[in-house]
Structure formats: C-alpha cells, structure tokens
Amino acid sequence: MTELPQSHPLLPELADAVQSGLPSAISDLGRLVRIPSVSWDGFDPEQVVRSAEAVRSLFEGLGVFDSVRVSTAPIDEDRAGQPAVLATRAARNGKPTILLYAHHDVQPPGEDAAWDSAPFEPTVRGDRLYGRGAADDKAGVMAHVAAIRAFTAVVGTDFDLGLVVFIEGEEEFGSRSFSNFIVQHRDELAADVIVVADSDNWDADTPSITVGLRGNVTFKLTVSTLAHASHSGMFGGAAPDAMLAAIRLLSTLHAADGSVAVAGLTSRDAVTPDYSEERLAHEAALLEGVHPIGHGPVLSRLWDQPAITITGIDAPTVVNASNTLVPSVTVKVSARIAPGQSADDAYRALERHLHEHSPFGAHIAISDVDKGNPFLVDTSGWAVAEAEDAMHQAWGRRPVQTGIGGSIPFIADLVEVFPAAQILITGVEDPDSRAHSPNESLHLGVFHRAILTEAVLLAKLEGRA
Ligand SMILES: [Zn+2]
C-alpha cells in the first residue's frame, strides 16, 4: 500500500459522477467501435467521415464549447487529410488552457477469423471490451468525453478553465496532415498543457505517465551484385549472389547477443523499473526455449537502446526459386532510435555502416527514407506533478514513469509549434490491450480509473491560481 496523497476536495463527488456515467461512456464507446474508421488508403474514407461526425456530436453534446467542428488540413497540394474534430472553449480569469488529444481512426482489422468476436462488434467478455479501436484510441476519445461530463456534473458548465479538444482522424496512417493542421489552427490549439491520451499503463492496477519515446528510421535497402541472374551451377562458388551479400551485410547490424552493433547509434543512460525476462517472454509471446536478445535491464533495451528489425524482403519466392544466382535483393529496414539522438544523425550512422560493411564490393542503394525523432518529456513542469497526483488519487497507486518502445512522431511536431506547452502522455491501454492486433480490448477498470484521473486533473487545473 502506498500512502494516498491529500485528496482533492471534489474527489468523492467526481468519483460518484464518473461511476454513474460509466454505463453511458461504455455504450457511447461501443457506438464508436461499430464505425470501421480505418484511415488507410484502400479503405472507405466515408467511414472516417462518419466517425468524425459521431465524435463531433459527442463533444457538442457536452454543452461547454464555444465551437465544435469537423475540419481537415491538406497533406500536400493534391490531397486533403482525414477529418479531425476540433472543439474550443476560451479560458477566463487567467486560468490555464488544457488541450485533450486522441484519435478516432483505427488500424485495419486483419482477418476476421483471427478475432474471437467480430472486430467492429463491441463485445464485453469478463472485465474487457473487445473490438478494433476499443482501446486504441476510441477509449482515449471517450475518456475525454466522460471526464468532461463528470467534471461538469460536479462544477456546472460555468467554469473558467480553457478547453481545447483535438481528435485526429489519421494517426494510424502516419498523421500525414498533422503538421499542416496544427500550423493552420495554431491559435485555436494553443494551450498550457497538452494531454495525449494514446499510450498505455504499467498494468491494469498501476497507472503510467509516458516520459520517453524512441524515434524511428525506416528505409528500403537494395543490395546488388550482378547485372543479371546467372546459372548457379555455372557460376556459383565464384560469382557472389545478392542474397549472400545481403545476408552477410544484414548480419553485421547485430552482435552475437542480438544487440545493435552499428557504430554511432547511441543509447540513453537512465534508470528503468524492474521488469523480468520472464515477463517479457510472456508479454511478447516468446516460444518455449526462445530467449531474449540484447543486454542490460530489459526496459533499457525497450526504451533507451536502439533496435533494428528487417520487416520485409523482396526476393524470389520459394515456389519460383530457380537454380540461379539472385542479382538483387531489397529489404525493409526498420530502426528504433534511443531518446537523445536525432533521427537524422541515426540515419547517417546506419547509412555509413551499410556502405562500410558491404561485402564483395556489392552495390548498395537506399530509398524511401522515413524518419521520426525520439522524444523526452520535460518532467520538471507543474503539469507532470499535477497529473501524477491526479493518477495517484484516482488509482490509489503512484504512477510509474515509463518509456515507450514505439514512436509517436507527431509529438515532436507539437513541441515545435507549441514550445511552451507542457506535454502529458497518458492512455487507456494496459499490457493485454493488443492494440493493432486481433482481439484488441480495453480493460474496463483501467477505463474507469483513466476517466477519474482526467476529471481530477480538470478540477485541479480549474483550481490553479
Ligand atoms: Zn493510437
């Protein structure tokens, strides 16, 4: 048991309001889950429009905003991004403004057969709600709605806190119009505190605040050794094929223990919470007898060290494998970058390594480079302290400051446009949520506590001098 902080005077009333609002929050969430708002190319964009409209009407129904609307920004000259929802309420009497972010689009569901219940049919089993987007991130959307409902049920609608809501429509498809959107709506989005409700929690009973995110560098790498394919019986053993060159080159990216072996890719030196290799084996579903890679504390490997994965390969398929020396092989390289190193710098280190280690003089070409910077939250501001205290009150447990192995590149964009804003990365997921995978689900207890956390945070900010 950790000692509880001094509770907010409105905590009992907020807790009652959140509790009594929970059934409608869950049914509203179910209505959002039924809309298959996949933002990827090749999926019906009309569903993303429907979803934006449903979200707009939920925020409009709160009756606290000066303006609630659906808006898009261009990706480039020819294309518009997916619709986002933007709601604003001006601060009064010198109170701060808080921006609440989530996204209403979802990942494709994959094969229906891999799901125990249909992906867009919200289904409660045990203490979890299953469905695509039930956690990532329609629960983030609904946590904002339900927190504002509880807050206004207690304090009324005549409060001074400034509120901005930004519910993005293409987070799962690279946030392509995000930076144009925030520049275009810079004045409306300006806030003292930005809550990004799109991350996870330590476990279903312990909250987290995410303070570090790895960046990413991805690209296509083509390794070529021959101007055309040749008979492997005729030239094999003397002429190097591209597959051999690619295998040997890729094997230089990692040391024998599986840790990254690219000079110039840096790690961050930071203390991480305890997390056993057994827990990793369970949560990452390692097969019997397969052991983890890398070295150092497990969470240092996941949060503070680089990682390199080959996520795809273009080469002859096994059915088409003729007895020839393959002239050229292309792979997709996906690297995660530790906080503290820029994605540009990391890319240069990778590029240098590949050129220097290319075997047999094989030709190397790199294309389709995509980069996102890592990010460290400045934890020294008052907002992190307020959020941690709100979590402690709502969960009855002190939050764990966590890193996240994945990347949320748009956070770096946010900080660039709003350098003075304090960033809080929270979320409604837990280690069993399986976001992006079949059988995605939301733990309803986590949902409840996340709503109460945000309601307490709103009350605390309203009370700030
Ligand atoms: Zn998400």
Side-chain angles (χ1 to χ4, degrees):
M1 278 299 287
T2 51
E3 202 180 316
L4 281 180
Q6 188 171 19
S7 36
H8 191 277
L10 297 178
L11 179 64
E13 287 171 77
L14 290 168
D16 283 349
V18 170
Q19 172 87 51
S20 59
L22 202 58
S24 57
I26 294 168
S27 70
D28 286 339
L29 174 56
R31 268 190 285 281
L32 293 181
V33 170
R34 284 179 203 279
I35 306 171
S37 53
V38 180
S39 54
W40 292 25
D41 282 346
F43 289 79
D44 182 5
E46 201 48 45
Q47 300 298 342
V48 188
V49 172
R50 276 183 65 210
S51 164
E53 198 46 47
V55 169
R56 185 197 61 74
S57 113
L58 282 166
F59 283 98
E60 199 160 72
L62 298 173
V64 298
F65 292 100
D66 306 327
S67 146
V68 183
R69 64 188 203 277
V70 172
S71 187
T72 58
I75 297 168
D76 53 35
E77 280 169 11
D78 311 318
R79 289 176 302 167
Q82 298 276 19
V85 176
L86 178 59
T88 54
R89 172 193 174 101
R92 300 186 309 207
N93 299 318
K95 295 296 179 183
T97 295
I98 182 168
L99 186 161
L100 305 174
Y101 169 92
H103 61 88
H104 68 88
D105 65 314
V106 296
Q107 288 270 324
E111 294 294 323
D112 270 22
W115 289 75
D116 295 334
S117 50
F120 297 108
E121 182 57 51
T123 305
V124 175
R125 286 194 298 278
D127 47 15
R128 310 190 71 95
L129 174 71
Y130 289 81
R132 172 58 84 231
D136 182 14
D137 186 27
K138 287 173 171 172
V141 175
M142 278 314 303
H144 296 326
V145 171
I148 296 171
R149 280 178 185 159
F151 175 65
T152 54
V154 174
V155 307
T157 54
D158 189 30
F159 55 88
D160 291 338
L161 182 66
L163 277 180
V164 181
V165 168
F166 173 27
I167 308 296
E168 196 193 353
E170 59 184 358
E171 196 278 338
E172 302 294 7
F173 199 50
S175 295
R176 297 172 303 168
S177 64
F178 185 92
S179 56
N180 286 336
F181 193 97
I182 59 175
V183 167
Q184 196 169 309
H185 297 281
R186 183 193 293 260
D187 293 342
E188 293 149 286
L189 291 166
D192 302 287
V193 177
I194 299 177
V195 177
V196 176
D198 192 20
S199 189
D200 60 2
N201 290 284
W202 181 252
D203 59 34
D205 301 309
T206 315
S208 308
I209 184 149
T210 302
V211 299
L213 297 112
R214 287 198 290 195
N216 65 290
V217 173
T218 62
F219 52 85
K220 287 205 285 200
L221 167 69
T222 298
V223 179
S224 307
T225 54
L226 304 166
H228 57 76
S230 303
H231 193 291
S232 58
M234 197 99 71
F235 295 108
D241 63 286
M243 188 62 83
L244 172 64
I247 289 167
R248 291 189 67 101
L249 175 57
L250 296 176
S251 75
T252 66
L253 295 171
H254 297 91
D257 68 355
S259 60
V260 167
V262 174
L265 285 185
T266 63
S267 295
R268 173 174 176 246
D269 200 11
V271 176
T272 51
D274 286 336
Y275 180 102
S276 66
E277 292 201 339
E278 291 67 37
R279 181 169 170 186
L280 176 80
H282 173 70
E283 290 185 357
L286 269 58
L287 294 176
E288 182 67 37
V290 175
H291 52 82
I293 57 171
H295 53 251
V298 173
L299 291 179
S300 155
R301 297 178 229 174
L302 300 181
W303 300 348
D304 296 323
Q305 297 182 33
I308 302 175
T309 313
I310 307 304
T311 56
I313 181 161
D314 283 346
T317 59
V318 172
V319 266
N320 287 309
S322 56
N323 288 326
T324 47
L325 300 179
V326 175
S328 184
V329 169
T330 297
V331 299
K332 175 89 179 271
V333 179
S334 168
R336 300 289 177 175
I337 306 307
Q341 180 163 43
S342 77
D344 281 333
D345 194 41
Y347 171 69
R348 279 192 294 272
L350 283 158
E351 191 186 29
R352 198 183 320 119
H353 177 100
L354 292 167
H355 282 288
E356 283 175 1
H357 290 79
S358 166
F360 323 122
H363 293 196
I364 300 257
I366 294 176
S367 63
D368 295 17
V369 182
D370 193 35
K371 290 179 270 191
N373 279 317
F375 185 70
L376 282 177
V377 173
D378 175 4
T379 54
S380 65
W382 52 262
V384 168
E386 294 281 35
E388 290 188 328
D389 186 68
M391 283 177 172
H392 196 169
Q393 293 186 43
W395 292 63
R397 283 207 192 171
R398 215 179 281 284
V400 180
Q401 288 195 354
T402 59
I404 187 166
S407 315
I408 313 184
F410 73 74
I411 295 202
D413 293 345
L414 269 180
V415 177
E416 200 175 305
V417 178
F418 304 111
Q422 301 182 66
I423 310 280
L424 300 172
I425 305 169
T426 64
V428 290
E429 292 172 29
D430 71 283
D432 291 325
S433 286
R434 301 196 198 170
H436 300 193
S437 303
N439 297 316
E440 174 181 348
S441 69
L442 170 73
H443 187 285
L444 295 171
V446 169
F447 186 50
H448 186 168
R449 292 184 277 281
I451 296 167
L452 182 56
T453 297
E454 204 167 290
V456 172
L457 182 64
L458 294 176
K460 286 164 78 75
L461 265 54
E462 169 73 5
R464 276 187 77 85

